[in-house]
Amino acid sequence: MSVVFLCVGAAKAGTSWLHSQLAVHPGCHFRSIKELHYFDALDEGTMSRNLQRMRARQVALLERTNGGLNATPEQAARIADGGDWMDVLERGGEDIGAYLGYLSEGATSGQVVGETTPAYALLSADRLARMARMAQDVRFLYLMRDPVDRLWSHVRMIAGRRDADGVVSARRCERILSRTISGEESQIVRRSDYAGALKRLAAAVPGGKLLIEVFEEMVSGEGLARICDFLGIGRVAPSPAPVHAGQALAMSPDQRRRAAHWLAPQYEAAHAALGRMPEAWGRKV
């Protein structure tokens, strides 16, 4: 089998942008569903819930496209991939052969196959180690973004989800940020924990099979070139695909100060893992 590539996080660190770049790379073959959530669903016992969500998306897509008759090429690919992925989910339990078969279906010899699910960064070291052994050549990427910027992007996303009209308000963001710093917003806290993810990945993934990259350097081009080298595919210039920035709302100086203080261990962990402080981060801390 070809290289199996898993981008495992971090959330709100450019994983969608990277997926859009690699999905059109001739050296890669990625199905149209970006986040499969296969391994976290196995560990959390939510396979049936994932299947229900997939069925609902498939029904909605078929309704919008007159049963697929009026589908664009992109929509047709999503319909086909959705059907194939439901076949895997309907097996109910763990079936690595079916999972790998889904990834590689349609790939030509030598193409990199894989997926991007940021939630995998939250998995146990034991699960990550088993993922690293599921094929002959499994390579992991962990993306990091300036910790304060990543946190604020996550806070804004959650604020929009909790508003009936999807509006991101300063007041709601302040409440969510304060609750996060106090440890109450557990999902945001877990996804802010670079140190924990890096420790688990280092323990689970064999040497040379883990790349740690920086969002700010990836979108400027140099980091994307390193990712291409890591995967053994030709380098490409970053295309102007949009980064999902969400609704704009600036942090106050006090919010940035509090967030930076709370996230100090994450800056330290990133510095230790990279052997340097990214220049774009160093200007902010």
Side-chain angles (χ1 to χ4, degrees):
M1 175 177 281
S2 304
V3 170
V4 177
F5 171 61
L6 299 175
C7 179
V8 298
K12 309 304 293 180
T15 58
S16 295
W17 183 90
L18 178 63
H19 180 85
S20 73
Q21 306 297 301
L22 296 182
V24 297
H25 194 296
C28 297
H29 173 74
F30 290 168
R31 308 295 292 265
S32 60
I33 305 171
K34 177 206 165 204
E35 299 185 24
L36 296 179
H37 287 281
Y38 187 65
F39 297 103
D40 52 319
L42 285 170
D43 286 2
E44 295 168 6
T46 58
M47 290 290 281
S48 60
R49 190 186 311 165
N50 276 15
L51 177 58
Q52 291 171 3
R53 282 198 295 260
M54 194 69 239
R55 282 176 176 158
R57 291 176 188 173
Q58 195 80 337
V59 167
L61 184 54
L62 287 168
E63 289 178 347
R64 289 200 303 272
T65 60
N66 189 26
L69 295 175
N70 300 329
T72 65
E74 180 182 354
Q75 290 171 328
R78 288 169 55 198
I79 291 169
D81 289 353
D84 289 347
W85 184 236
M86 285 193 294
D87 287 343
V88 177
L89 295 178
E90 283 170 352
R91 295 170 180 261
E94 184 168 350
D95 189 329
I96 297 301
Y99 169 80
L100 294 175
Y102 170 82
L103 295 182
S104 60
E105 178 67 29
T108 59
S109 177
Q111 280 189 307
V112 174
V113 302
E115 61 145 324
T116 299
T117 299
Y120 290 166
L122 308 179
L123 295 172
S124 68
D126 177 68
R127 168 57 79 180
L128 291 166
R130 283 182 280 157
M131 292 163 63
R133 297 192 299 266
M134 69 180 169
Q136 185 174 359
D137 191 351
V138 183
R139 305 184 194 184
F140 291 74
L141 171 67
Y142 185 65
L143 283 171
M144 297 185 295
R145 179 181 179 184
D146 177 274
V148 170
D149 290 347
R150 195 223 68 82
L151 170 62
W152 189 240
S153 178
H154 203 160
V155 165
R156 298 196 325 269
M157 180 184 75
I158 298 300
R161 288 179 179 176
R162 292 179 183 175
D163 185 85
D165 299 315
V167 174
V168 175
S169 68
R171 179 176 298 180
R172 189 183 296 273
C173 284
E174 169 57 28
R175 287 201 302 269
I176 295 171
L177 178 65
S178 296
R179 286 171 54 83
T180 300
I181 291 174
S182 67
E184 297 175 73
E185 295 281 352
S186 60
Q187 289 303 309
I188 302 179
V189 171
R190 293 179 69 203
R191 285 164 173 77
S192 300
D193 184 18
Y194 292 172
L198 289 167
K199 182 178 180 180
R200 292 189 297 274
L201 285 163
V205 181
K209 301 298 184 181
L210 170 64
L211 178 66
I212 301 165
E213 263 305 332
V214 177
F215 162 79
E216 292 85 354
E217 296 172 358
M218 177 181 71
V219 296
S220 71
E222 57 183 309
L224 180 60
R226 290 192 292 263
I227 293 170
C228 290
D229 291 348
F230 174 66
L231 295 177
I233 59 178
R235 290 186 175 188
V236 292
S239 72
V243 175
H244 299 317
Q247 295 181 47
L249 180 68
M251 295 184 85
S252 70
D254 177 66
Q255 287 173 329
R256 181 167 289 277
R257 177 191 60 76
R258 288 156 51 211
H261 177 76
W262 180 65
L263 290 165
Q266 311 313 325
Y267 284 99
E268 294 169 4
H271 187 286
L274 294 168
R276 60 187 175 86
M277 179 68 77
E279 183 179 353
W281 299 9
R283 294 193 294 265
K284 299 178 182 180
V285 296

